[in-house]
Amino acid sequence: MGSHIVGYPRMGPKRELKFALESFWDGKSSAEDLKKVSADLRASIWKQMSDAGIKYIPSNTFSYYDQVLDATATLGAVPPRYGWTGGEIGFDTYFSMARGNATVPAMEMTKWFDTNYHFIVPELGPEVNFVYSSHKAVEEYKEAKALGVETVPVLVGPVSYLLLSKPAKGVDKTFSLLSLLPKVLAVYKEVIADLKAAGAQFIQFDEPTLVLDLESHKLQAFTDAYAELTPALSDVHVLVETYFADLTAEAYKTLTSLSGVHAYGFDLVRGTKTIDLIKAGFPSDKWIFAGVVDGRNIWANDLADSLNTLETLAGIVGKERIVVSTSSSLLHTAVDLVNETKLDDEIKSWLAFAAQKVVEVNALANAFNGNKDEAFFSANAVAQASRKSSPRVTNEAVQKAAAALKGSDHRRATNVSARLDAQQKKLNLPILPTTTIGSFPQTVELRRVRREFKAKKISEEEYIKAIKEEIRQVVELQEELDIDVLVHGEPERNDMVEYFGEQLSGFAFTANGWVQSYGSRCVKPPIIYGDVSRPKAMTVFWSALAQSFTKRPMKGMLTGPVTILNWSFVRVDQPRSETCYQIALAIKDEVEDLEKGGIGVIQIDEAALREGLPLRKSEHAHYLDWAVHSFRITNVGVQDSTQIHTHMCYSNFNDIIHSIIDMDADVITIENSRSDEKLLSVFREGVVYGAGIGPGVYDIHSPRIPPTEEIADRINKMLAVLEKNILWVNPDCGLKTRKYSEVKPALTNLVAAAKQIRNELAK
């Protein structure tokens, strides 16, 4: 019995780590300064959990970038291009792998399962010399112990590490990454020995890949790995943690049969069928870490319901063998509700951020042990009832409009080939047209203007004047660079989802509800608490203003309904598909207003469409059906001559390429360069794509400036599998996180490469 937290947010309640990282990267502070901020944050987190009464407190969940990259550093699996020559891996090598440097690109970054968190993908091959090269896990354990806090060190499990990796460049794609398991386990044994010597009594291995559809040989790898580790794990308790979904019956059997393991962590929020597996059989001498408090959403736990779940489990395995836990790491939630002074009391009563979830876990553990805090449970019941009955949650007109969508698939009347012809007559674009994805650098001055307007320190007139001037400069720069289809740079937006949510009904917003996306990048997801509608136009003023500054086509920039959904904290009292259809209708109104306002190219970003794909293949078709349908709803009413773009990034798109085609966009721009042009392989394998497509030609998440020759080479690789009349040239993603000193030369080279290839094609 007891309480446990799988993991905790790293950024700090006021994004202290973000600012420390960026200051270090900019050369404004030292490595020691960064380490000091980090140590203070860790100490605060451990104290908070200890004070709350948590028994099993995690360590080594803190990271300067991401936990998979930390594992890569521990294993010494550094790709040769970074010039690492051995020894303890320092910040230079670590951040070069994550962000690239002036001479070499970063490693691939992709989404962590079906979340908006990202990780750096390990690059492995038969020649990798695994060697214990980062002692972070034991150092953090000792650090906590010195503060009087006993922790559970958390390691990315060895099998999940390999299953999340990819063959390095030049390694045959058929190479079995699991063949590296013996070498990897040799290093894990050293880490375990270090932790045991330091006094660790419990070690947590995160093996989230167990929730995927795994073939038998991959499941066998778990059995082999933990059998091999069993002697090393003697005299220490071992927890294997899973999260984000149910396990298959085969995976459950594998997990509960692992040698040397004493406890299993289950996500009982998203894993709705797990209890049935436990009922069918559970080892008599093992523990369950029951994930009943949602690690991925911000709604207050229904304590009465969770307590019932725990009692059900107790009836199966016995109360003494159950530990109350979060469903996953709290990394995916905001940090602390106490920092939210502007949320109204009713909505605030419905919420729980990471700090509050820690309290919920302990309250449930106490109640489960017979020490129920009646006042706490009573207040929770009142809040649960309030959310179910509040009139602000329901809008009958919206529900009727969404219900009326059924029965049509909402496709544009004309096929994409005919539409592209009509659009070319209107736009008159060259072969290989150039564009960017939407945002331009967000300067310190620009952020100051937005911040002061929000705080009412400057007038609306002053704000509009400043944003107008920023747009004018961005348009002039693009014309100077000779880009073909322009964007206004999005200076009025801090975040692509938050900006729209602030103007839609049914959304609430936080002041400090930041969540880490990758590295120092944080987002502040809106909270969808009720039915969604658009009271008035959201972007037409700025897009029309930008178009007035140029004769070139100006893109209207919108975030698509699936991305708004997947990048928000979403209500759980109706299916996600229903909420998505409501958002789609709101975006449809905006698309049609942009068209009426003279905008002939409209980009509806669906960066997160792939991210929302369920982890189990049996659930893919249903999700893709309503997600793709939602996108089509947004633009079904526009004229053939209005060009609809969409954009996707940082996921593996190859397995959903037919659904992407089914979206029926006129042009798709899609991340490609950072993932080693993985996307192009689907076209080499015979997939026919007839719409416009712009696979990204350079990675915007690295400060590195790609030379013209490199971009031209990428374009030529694309032309080997795509027709020249459908190919666009663009970066991987938006430019808001970059500096103008990086953006100007990179875009100069992009345009030069496009012109070079045009000339070669003309000859």
Side-chain angles (χ1 to χ4, degrees):
M1 296 174 69
S3 52
H4 167 251
I5 305 297
V6 177
Y8 201 82
R10 308 155 181 158
M11 286 290 116
K14 295 183 179 176
R15 295 181 291 163
E16 292 89 342
L17 181 58
K18 168 190 171 65
F19 299 122
L21 282 167
E22 291 173 354
S23 177
F24 174 70
W25 292 337
D26 290 343
K28 295 176 182 176
S29 62
S30 68
E32 292 310 309
D33 294 330
L34 176 57
K35 290 176 182 177
K36 173 70 167 59
V37 170
S38 306
D40 289 347
L41 282 172
R42 288 193 295 271
S44 172
I45 291 166
W46 291 326
K47 183 178 187 304
Q48 177 189 351
M49 285 193 259
S50 180
D51 289 350
I54 300 299
K55 182 175 181 180
Y56 301 105
I57 297 171
S59 61
N60 198 40
T61 59
F62 181 89
S63 178
Y64 290 107
Y65 213 88
D66 89 78
Q67 71 272 22
V68 180
L69 183 62
D70 291 351
T72 293
T74 298
L75 292 165
V78 181
R81 65 180 178 275
Y82 298 107
W84 177 65
T85 55
E88 190 79 2
I89 289 176
F91 282 156
D92 282 353
T93 300
Y94 182 87
F95 288 127
S96 290
M97 289 192 287
R99 306 176 72 239
N101 57 41
T103 57
V104 292
M107 295 166 70
E108 180 183 351
M109 181 171 72
T110 196
K111 295 288 174 73
W112 178 247
F113 294 83
D114 58 347
T115 75
N116 187 30
Y117 181 71
H118 301 66
F119 73 97
I120 302 298
V121 182
E123 302 173 11
L124 305 177
E127 305 304 318
V128 175
N129 180 31
F130 294 101
V131 59
Y132 190 10
S133 304
S134 169
H135 293 70
K136 175 178 172 293
V138 70
E139 287 167 0
E140 285 191 18
Y141 173 77
K142 289 178 178 177
E143 186 182 318
K145 197 167 187 178
L147 295 169
V149 181
E150 180 62 34
T151 61
V152 177
V154 179
L155 304 174
V156 174
V159 183
S160 287
Y161 177 80
L162 290 174
L163 293 179
L164 293 168
S165 302
K166 69 174 187 178
K169 204 164 188 177
V171 174
D172 194 294
K173 299 302 178 190
T174 62
F175 172 71
S176 170
L177 293 163
L178 289 174
S179 69
L180 299 172
L181 191 57
K183 294 180 181 178
V184 166
L185 292 177
V187 179
Y188 270 79
K189 289 175 185 177
E190 292 185 70
V191 178
I192 292 164
D194 255 8
L195 290 170
K196 286 169 63 175
Q201 300 164 32
F202 231 112
I203 299 176
Q204 174 179 320
F205 292 91
D206 280 6
E207 295 282 13
T209 55
L210 274 166
V211 305
L212 303 177
D213 295 310
L214 297 179
E215 302 96 320
S216 58
H217 75 281
K218 292 178 180 176
L219 291 174
Q220 183 62 40
F222 288 94
T223 302
D224 296 343
Y226 286 89
E228 177 67 23
L229 289 177
T230 295
L233 291 168
S234 62
D235 304 320
V236 66
H237 289 98
V238 176
L239 163 65
V240 173
E241 185 68 53
T242 67
Y243 36 79
F244 299 153
D246 285 304
L247 281 75
T248 64
E250 295 80 7
Y252 176 81
K253 183 179 178 183
T254 297
L255 173 65
T256 54
S257 302
L258 292 178
S259 175
V261 175
H262 305 86
Y264 316 107
F266 298 110
D267 182 338
L268 299 178
V269 176
R270 290 176 174 245
T272 55
K273 300 172 185 173
T274 297
I275 289 181
D276 291 335
L277 293 170
I278 295 169
K279 282 179 182 174
F282 188 79
S284 60
D285 57 341
K286 308 296 184 183
W287 296 355
I288 290 176
F289 279 56
V292 292
V293 173
D294 194 349
R296 287 184 55 176
N297 217 325
I298 43 65
W299 304 110
N301 187 269
D302 186 334
L303 297 178
D305 186 62
S306 292
L307 194 55
N308 285 337
T309 299
L310 293 168
E311 295 292 356
T312 299
L313 280 173
I316 304 168
V317 303
K319 185 172 285 193
E320 70 284 354
R321 293 196 287 133
I322 295 171
V323 175
V324 181
S325 183
T326 53
S327 66
S328 66
S329 172
L330 298 175
L331 173 69
H332 310 289
T333 66
V335 178
D336 195 344
L337 194 56
V338 76
N339 298 316
E340 301 306 324
T341 55
K342 294 181 181 177
L343 277 173
D344 71 66
D345 288 342
E346 182 181 38
I347 289 180
K348 199 169 180 178
S349 75
W350 301 343
L351 307 178
F353 291 179
Q356 288 69 47
K357 289 175 184 290
V358 169
V359 174
E360 289 178 338
V361 167
N362 201 58
L364 282 165
N366 287 339
F368 189 49
N369 197 30
N371 300 311
K372 187 176 182 182
D373 184 335
E374 295 292 351
F376 189 73
F377 270 69
S378 178
N380 176 265
V382 169
Q384 295 295 323
S386 163
R387 186 155 71 92
K388 288 173 183 172
S389 61
S390 175
R392 69 198 300 178
V393 170
T394 306
N395 182 323
E396 286 187 17
V398 171
Q399 293 194 347
K400 264 187 202 175
L405 294 170
K406 289 163 186 170
S408 168
D409 62 1
H410 296 89
R411 293 182 185 276
R412 293 168 75 179
T414 311
N415 68 44
V416 68
S417 177
R419 297 198 310 262
L420 288 173
D421 288 343
Q423 292 155 16
Q424 180 59 16
K425 285 174 186 172
K426 179 179 175 181
L427 300 173
N428 193 29
L429 297 172
I431 290 289
L432 308 181
T434 54
T435 191
T436 63
I437 303 305
S439 60
F440 265 65
Q442 301 260 316
T443 62
V444 172
E445 174 63 16
L446 181 56
R447 293 181 190 276
R448 181 193 65 78
V449 167
R450 281 202 310 263
R451 189 169 58 248
E452 291 189 354
F453 177 60
K454 222 165 193 177
K456 300 184 178 176
K457 292 181 179 178
I458 61 173
S459 67
E460 184 175 16
E461 184 180 352
E462 290 172 304
Y463 171 74
I464 289 174
K465 181 181 178 183
I467 298 297
K468 181 177 180 179
E469 176 57 22
E470 180 73 18
I471 291 172
R472 185 189 62 76
Q473 290 180 14
V474 167
V475 171
E476 281 186 2
L477 172 62
Q478 291 171 91
E479 288 191 321
E480 179 187 316
L481 293 169
D482 204 18
I483 292 172
D484 300 304
V485 176
L486 311 189
V487 297
H488 77 290
E490 304 177 10
E492 78 285 14
R493 307 177 194 182
N494 178 62
D495 178 85
M496 63 188 285
V497 173
E498 183 182 4
Y499 176 79
F500 290 98
E502 285 177 336
Q503 300 180 77
L504 295 168
S505 64
F507 282 75
F509 292 87
T510 62
N512 291 290
W514 298 100
V515 178
Q516 185 183 18
S517 179
Y518 61 86
S520 68
R521 169 79 170 139
C522 296
V523 294
K524 197 163 51 165
I527 298 165
I528 305 177
Y529 67 84
D531 291 334
V532 178
S533 63
R534 186 198 73 146
K536 61 180 182 180
M538 301 180 286
T539 65
V540 177
F541 173 79
W542 298 117
S543 294
L545 175 69
Q547 184 65 79
S548 73
F549 290 143
T550 183
K551 292 181 179 177
R552 299 187 186 207
M554 174 65 60
K555 282 197 281 192
M557 300 300 304
L558 303 175
T559 303
V562 185
T563 296
I564 291 176
L565 182 87
N566 285 335
W567 286 357
S568 298
F569 291 124
V570 182
R571 59 191 291 193
V572 291
D573 60 336
Q574 69 177 16
R576 289 172 70 88
S577 56
E578 294 300 316
T579 303
C580 198
Y581 286 143
Q582 293 177 3
I583 302 169
L585 287 171
I587 300 300
K588 179 177 186 288
D589 290 344
E590 187 71 11
V591 167
E592 291 170 7
D593 279 352
L594 280 168
E595 186 181 55
K596 288 173 192 170
I599 304 301
V601 182
I602 302 170
Q603 182 169 308
I604 308 166
D605 284 348
E606 284 295 15
L609 185 136
R610 173 62 175 78
E611 173 187 313
L613 192 69
L615 299 178
R616 307 303 281 280
K617 291 175 183 174
S618 61
E619 299 169 16
H620 286 190
H622 175 65
Y623 166 78
L624 290 169
D625 180 61
W626 63 256
V628 170
H629 187 190
S630 295
F631 177 82
R632 290 201 304 263
I633 288 167
T634 65
N635 60 87
V636 67
V638 300
Q639 300 172 19
D640 287 354
S641 58
T642 296
Q643 190 166 82
I644 299 296
H645 288 224
T646 192
H647 169 66
M648 296 181 179
C649 57
Y650 300 102
S651 286
N652 180 7
F653 300 105
N654 294 26
D655 55 350
I656 64 163
I657 190 67
H658 293 290
S659 293
I660 292 173
I661 294 170
D662 199 38
M663 291 169 72
D664 200 28
D666 298 311
V667 178
I668 180 170
T669 51
I670 194 164
E671 180 272 323
N672 173 66
S673 64
R674 184 157 184 171
S675 57
D676 289 332
E677 299 159 346
K678 190 189 301 179
L679 174 71
L680 299 186
S681 65
V682 299
F683 303 114
R684 294 189 191 102
E685 290 162 9
V687 171
V688 177
Y689 195 78
I693 184 168
V697 295
Y698 81 89
D699 173 27
I700 63 86
H701 288 106
S702 169
R704 179 174 173 269
I705 298 162
T708 301
E709 297 73 21
E710 180 181 306
I711 296 175
D713 181 57
R714 288 193 187 279
I715 297 171
N716 276 322
K717 286 179 180 175
M718 295 170 192
L719 286 169
V721 292
L722 293 164
E723 296 293 330
K724 65 182 180 182
N725 62 317
I726 65 169
L727 187 61
W728 286 63
V729 179
N730 46 265
D732 264 352
C733 203
L735 304 170
K736 69 186 296 181
T737 59
R738 300 269 54 89
K739 300 171 185 173
Y740 274 105
S741 59
E742 299 158 348
V743 165
K744 288 179 183 178
L747 290 181
T748 297
N749 294 349
L750 179 149
V751 172
K755 289 181 176 179
Q756 176 186 318
I757 303 299
R758 282 177 201 156
N759 289 335
E760 291 171 6
L761 290 171
K763 292 175 185 176

